[in-house]
Amino acid sequence: MAPPIAPPETFARAVAGLRSVTPRAEIVLEEVGAPQRLAPYAFALAAAVLRDDDEVATGRLILLHDPAGHEAWQGTLRLVTYVTAELEVDLASDPLLPGVGWTWLTDALDAQDARHRAIGGTVTQTLSTRFGELAGPPAAGDIEIRASWTPLGVDLAPHLLGWCALLASTAGLPPPGVTALPSRRSAGAA
């Protein structure tokens, strides 16, 4: 059997930067299998955001590397993400939600000085009402953010920290160090 071929240094350093990050306590990261057909080298992380032991948002961040580069990427590395969370119906139906969701991403990257180019994506808001045999819980809302960008440089720790901030915003977590006030329902008020 032939010995495994070492990945290019650029990819190895980028993966090391991603592995170096410790997210805030509510975000659980794990390495998962990456898609193999998108680029010669790929690495993926899955995330779950927990609030009071309930999963309130999930996401996936994929690092792609093609040493030959891609014209559309404007580079040799590309980060691709998918984040989704359930929202209260009134928030999920807000027509401003897609723009706000997009700024959650761009502001989070900017706050971490995660320099990038060629960013693009979509924000989808969904409202669901169940009928017939599926009737039961009240209407539900979701947000999905799909995006990709080309990092400038191979230190991807700031990009992962920005992505974790996006997850926290999508999940409705308070900023680090801030304690959320209990809702009226959880405080026992009528």
Side-chain angles (χ1 to χ4, degrees):
M1 184 155 72
I5 298 173
E9 181 182 345
T10 297
F11 181 72
R13 288 179 54 205
V15 170
L18 293 174
R19 286 179 171 154
S20 73
V21 172
T22 301
R24 59 189 283 180
E26 302 94 337
I27 299 175
V28 178
L29 295 178
E30 71 174 308
E31 292 181 23
V32 294
Q36 299 301 305
R37 296 180 187 190
L38 300 177
Y41 301 93
F43 175 81
L45 293 169
V49 182
L50 305 174
R51 187 176 13 177
D52 301 326
D53 295 325
D54 290 328
E55 187 175 277
V56 293
T58 60
R60 188 164 288 211
L61 183 70
I62 302 166
L63 167 64
L64 303 174
H65 175 58
D66 187 340
H70 274 271
E71 187 176 325
W73 295 2
Q74 300 176 25
T76 62
L77 294 172
R78 189 78 172 162
L79 288 166
V80 180
T81 188
Y82 169 78
V83 172
T84 186
E86 274 192 39
L87 299 175
E88 294 178 14
V89 172
D90 57 337
L91 183 57
S93 63
D94 189 327
L96 300 176
L97 179 63
V100 170
W102 187 253
T103 61
W104 287 338
L105 170 62
T106 57
D107 288 354
L109 292 174
D110 290 346
Q112 294 298 325
D113 198 26
R115 296 179 48 232
H116 59 277
R117 66 174 156 236
I119 190 168
T122 62
V123 177
T124 305
Q125 61 193 109
T126 307
L127 291 174
S128 300
T129 304
R130 299 171 187 214
F131 296 96
E133 294 295 318
L134 296 178
D142 294 296
I143 185 171
E144 296 177 356
I145 300 170
R146 296 176 186 263
S148 63
W149 64 93
T150 298
L152 301 179
V154 295
D155 179 8
L156 299 189
H159 294 269
L160 183 53
L161 289 168
W163 184 67
C164 287
L166 166 66
L167 284 162
S169 294
T170 305
L173 297 181
V178 174
T179 303
L181 296 173
S183 68
R184 292 181 145 221
R185 280 178 268 177
S186 64

